[in-house]
Amino acid sequence: MVAPLAAVPQPGVVAGIVADVYELCATERSGELADYIPELAAVQPDSFALCLATADGKIYAIGDATTTFTIQSISKPFTYALALADRGPAAVAARIDVEPSGEPFNEISLDPITERPRNPMINAGAITAASLIDGRDPADRLERTLRCYSRFAGRDLTMNEAVYASEASTGYRNRAIGYMLRSFGIIDSDPDEAVDRYFRQCSVDVTCRDLAVMAATLANNGMNPVSRERALSPALTEQVLSVMTTCGMYNAAGDWVSTVGLPAKSGVGGGILAVLPGQIGIAVYSPRLDAHGNSVRGVAACRELSKRLELHFLHVTRAAQAAIRSEYTVAEAPSRLRRNTDEMAVLAEHGHRARVYELHGDLQFAGAERAVRIIEEQAGELAALVIDLHRVGEVSAIAVRMLDELAAELTVTGCQVAIVDPDAKLGHTVSSLDPSDPRGRVFVDRDTSTEWCENIVLAEYRPSDVPVCTSLTVEDHPAFASLDPSECSRLAKEFEVCTIARGEVVAERGSARSGLYLILEGRVRIGFEAADGRNHRLVTLSAGMSFGEIPMLIGEPFANEVRAETGVRVAVLSPARFDRLTEQAPHLKLALLQRLAAGAYAQMDAAVRGADY
Ligand code: GLU
């Protein structure tokens, strides 16, 4: 045996609670060692260890956490898991029921009606499960069983030969169960081999830490959080945990569920393993047992931990999580596409007809149901809406279906739907859904989906008598507004008109002033490459707007990249001409600067309103 660790508490709240529970339970000295397997009575009766392993692999351990002991009945859920994986749930269910028995674990009985073992956590069911393990020969079947346990533990587990020999030489009752199973046709192979392998699986040596990692693997949907190896599929993990919930604690299962409330399994070796699905695994080792065969300190420690850490699986802190984090209209939070004054007026008046719903957290049934219901109630008034999933964690299959159906239903009733889903949590990517698909358009960010909604509102409400102005002459540009005609043509001469192809960079990030640019046609995007490798848009500017003022006036380099989003026509005032204007036509320069300042304030206002909600 490995030398016991001293009870050294680790710092922190959780470690502190674990240490307190350990201290509290260590004073308990009642119970007896199991001695019906002679070798089991050879352990240190006061040995005690407590381990917690989170579903992401952090381990809190105290006491004799590296002392080895035999797994005994805690092997049963893992052999059952392997039988399920080998034979499939239906074939296993045809031989082993999943009903609590209320009888001692080693009762020589079958269900009188089904004539099957009542569950896989009593010996009759466990020996049957052992008989269902695939393999070429007995050695291969044992090897596969050990490998399965080892995947859960994250290290190679081995058998304790002395304990095995001790049980094999005394285990007549289990042999009787094996023969009964054979005579009822539940086992159709050699019952001696199944019983022998059952003895061997029970004698696998584990530490309390091993059991905690095995429990955490069950908590983590079958994926070992320490080794990152998959030990069992999520569906079978759910099945194993279900049986542990109803049948795992011998005939004290009901009391256990009401006082601890965790799927669990105990063994006569003194171990208990308990699981809070999705959160943590707990293991306790202390070999003195109560009348049911459960570790006395183990039960006490699990009760105490469950209470202090609020682990009972029926403990509910609040009903359905609010899945909608926030919601707003596109008038309240416009896109970063700077609109001209006419468009801004339309959006201010009708922007409430397009709404953004930002969801967050994991989308399970209840949260999704509530979100879908709220969106459905409000959608009657809307021309378009955005469902933003970029802050959502896991999305359950039922939530995917509900959202898909919501989108399809709304599209049919005339409300267009955009889904912001950069990680394709609903299974659709920007390019996988056809634009006519009723399940909506997929976007990688909220900004572009908001722009899409704004376009829908504009298409519906833009007054038909206001021409859509897409192309200007230099003199029409607002930077020239209300200059008298002679000043206007004098200033226009200073500018040079040029065209830029779509996608071309007008100014690199960090480049020096290159001119004052007035956009006459097309769209220019100012953005930067973020850590995620995507180009994030700060703003898109269009005809009637300008850029390059800050480098020109302050002398700072361009803070962001400027790129043509479409083919663009600009009027450029070169730095040399800009500087010359100071001497040659100071009044024109002043007029120009006044107009640019007005434009800058309008931009700032839009930027502030568009700030993240
Ligand atoms: N090998 C033991 C037996 O079958 C396991 C008992 C247990 O841990 O419940 O008797």
Side-chain angles (χ1 to χ4, degrees):
M1 290 226 173
V2 175
L5 277 184
V8 187
Q10 297 155 310
V13 176
V14 180
I17 292 176
V18 171
D20 287 349
V21 169
Y22 185 90
E23 296 296 327
L24 181 77
C25 298
T27 57
E28 173 64 72
R29 286 182 198 278
S30 65
E32 303 296 332
L33 296 183
D35 58 4
Y36 71 101
I37 300 171
E39 190 66 20
L40 284 185
V43 297
Q44 284 286 333
D46 289 322
S47 191
F48 185 22
L50 184 53
C51 269
L52 244 67
T54 63
D56 65 351
K58 163 79 185 164
I59 295 171
Y60 297 89
I62 189 164
D64 310 328
T66 55
T67 299
T68 54
F69 55 95
T70 54
I71 190 168
Q72 295 301 333
S73 273
I74 304 172
S75 63
K76 290 169 177 170
F78 300 99
T79 296
Y80 178 56
L82 185 57
L84 288 168
D86 281 355
R87 300 293 174 106
V92 174
R95 289 173 194 258
I96 312 171
D97 288 339
V98 289
E99 297 304 331
S101 73
E103 288 175 349
F105 69 98
N106 56 2
E107 195 65 17
I108 308 181
S109 75
L110 296 175
D111 183 277
I113 298 174
T114 66
E115 297 191 337
R116 291 190 286 253
R118 289 193 170 87
N119 67 65
M121 302 294 125
I122 56 170
N123 290 11
I127 293 168
T128 306
S131 80
L132 295 174
I133 301 309
D134 282 343
R136 287 186 307 277
D137 50 36
D140 187 41
R141 288 190 272 278
L142 175 65
E143 176 58 26
R144 289 190 68 248
T145 307
L146 288 176
R147 274 213 310 272
C148 166
Y149 296 6
S150 301
R151 273 195 297 278
F152 276 95
R155 74 174 183 103
D156 286 337
L157 299 178
T158 53
M159 269 177 56
N160 180 320
E161 295 292 342
V163 174
Y164 161 67
S166 177
E167 183 163 18
S169 64
T170 55
Y172 298 111
R173 195 176 175 95
N174 283 325
R175 289 200 178 87
I177 293 174
Y179 278 85
M180 171 193 68
L181 292 166
R182 182 72 183 84
S183 75
F184 276 83
I186 300 292
I187 291 183
D188 45 25
S189 52
D190 174 8
D192 283 322
E193 191 224 319
V195 172
D196 183 66
R197 192 145 30 77
Y198 168 73
F199 290 155
R200 289 175 192 271
Q201 76 175 47
C202 287
S203 73
V204 166
D205 265 335
V206 287
T207 64
C208 189
R209 185 188 186 284
D210 291 332
L211 285 186
V213 176
M214 294 171 94
T217 303
L218 289 169
N220 190 33
N221 249 330
M223 164 85 87
N224 186 316
V226 179
S227 70
R228 311 298 308 161
E229 193 180 359
R230 176 155 294 285
L232 191 64
S233 72
L236 297 184
T237 305
E238 199 173 303
Q239 171 70 9
V240 170
L241 288 170
S242 308
V243 177
M244 286 167 64
T245 306
T246 51
C247 315
M249 295 301 286
Y250 302 120
N251 39 5
D255 181 53
W256 173 268
V257 169
S258 71
T259 57
V260 181
L262 297 171
K265 187 71 200 90
S266 64
V268 294
I272 295 184
L273 165 158
V275 179
L276 181 56
Q279 298 193 34
I280 61 164
I282 299 176
V284 192
Y285 169 58
S286 175
R288 289 191 210 265
L289 309 180
D290 64 17
H292 299 293
N294 294 321
S295 163
V296 176
R297 284 175 179 165
V299 171
C302 287
R303 273 193 192 154
E304 220 32 66
L305 279 176
S306 173
K307 198 161 72 195
R308 296 188 191 200
L309 303 177
E310 299 179 55
L311 303 179
H312 197 295
F313 68 166
L314 299 179
H315 174 79
V316 173
T317 41
R318 56 178 162 158
Q321 282 266 356
I324 299 182
R325 175 178 186 263
S326 60
E327 48 174 299
Y328 37 83
T329 70
V330 301
E332 290 162 336
S335 76
R336 292 180 172 180
L337 170 61
R338 276 275 282 112
R339 306 281 182 175
N340 63 34
T341 334
D342 293 337
E343 291 176 333
M344 271 167 39
V346 174
L347 289 172
E349 193 180 340
H350 301 286
H352 64 278
R353 299 278 325 271
R355 258 185 122 73
V356 178
Y357 295 89
E358 251 192 73
L359 308 191
H360 69 160
D362 289 340
L363 279 189
Q364 309 284 6
F365 167 74
E369 189 275 339
R370 199 151 131 189
V372 163
R373 188 157 30 93
I374 291 170
I375 296 172
E376 224 167 20
E377 276 165 16
Q378 299 178 350
E381 304 295 305
L382 303 178
L385 63 82
V386 176
I387 301 175
D388 180 355
L389 302 178
H390 92 275
R391 282 199 166 89
V392 161
E394 295 282 313
V395 184
S396 66
I398 181 69
V400 170
R401 244 184 81 190
M402 291 166 80
L403 287 169
D404 270 351
E405 226 157 79
L406 170 73
E409 193 182 295
L410 294 179
T411 308
V412 169
T413 58
C415 171
Q416 304 202 52
V417 179
I419 309 283
V420 177
D421 190 7
D423 308 316
K425 295 210 164 94
L426 294 193
H428 322 305
T429 59
V430 176
S431 49
S432 74
L433 281 191
D434 188 87
S436 64
D437 193 297
R439 286 170 299 179
R441 288 282 299 270
V442 178
F443 292 87
V444 290
D445 60 35
R446 186 166 8 120
D447 181 36
T448 42
S449 70
T450 306
E451 179 184 329
W452 180 80
C453 284
E454 289 170 350
N455 289 341
I456 291 170
V457 173
L458 287 170
E460 197 164 320
Y461 294 102
R462 197 189 332 246
S464 48
D465 54 335
V466 177
V468 183
C469 159
T470 52
S471 175
L472 303 170
T473 62
V474 186
E475 291 88 347
D476 290 336
H477 193 280
F480 284 64
S482 63
L483 285 180
D484 70 44
S486 67
E487 285 175 328
C488 208
S489 55
R490 165 75 182 81
L491 186 58
K493 284 200 188 75
E494 301 289 333
F495 282 80
E496 194 187 330
V497 175
C498 55
T499 56
I500 304 160
R502 175 188 168 154
E504 204 173 298
V505 176
V506 185
E508 305 260 8
R509 174 174 193 181
S511 60
R513 62 179 200 161
S514 53
L516 186 69
Y517 297 81
L518 307 181
I519 306 174
L520 304 178
E521 192 177 331
R523 294 178 11 172
V524 160
R525 173 191 173 107
I526 301 183
F528 63 94
E529 179 115 346
D532 61 8
R534 291 204 348 246
N535 185 291
H536 283 251
R537 142 161 111 172
L538 291 169
V539 66
T540 291
L541 304 172
S542 56
M545 298 167 200
S546 55
F547 61 92
E549 301 90 336
I550 293 177
M552 188 66 109
L553 294 170
I554 308 176
E556 293 277 321
F558 277 88
N560 293 289
E561 180 194 89
V562 184
R563 189 186 281 270
E565 204 171 280
T566 60
V568 171
R569 205 158 52 80
V570 282
V572 192
L573 178 63
S574 71
R577 290 194 173 201
F578 180 79
D579 293 343
R580 266 205 330 256
L581 269 185
T582 312
E583 287 103 53
Q584 295 182 346
H587 65 289
L588 278 183
K589 185 160 188 176
L590 179 63
L592 179 65
L593 290 178
Q594 272 173 339
R595 284 157 183 78
L596 289 177
Y601 280 110
Q603 284 227 28
M604 202 163 80
D605 179 55
V608 167
R609 287 198 303 126
D612 252 4
Y613 257 58

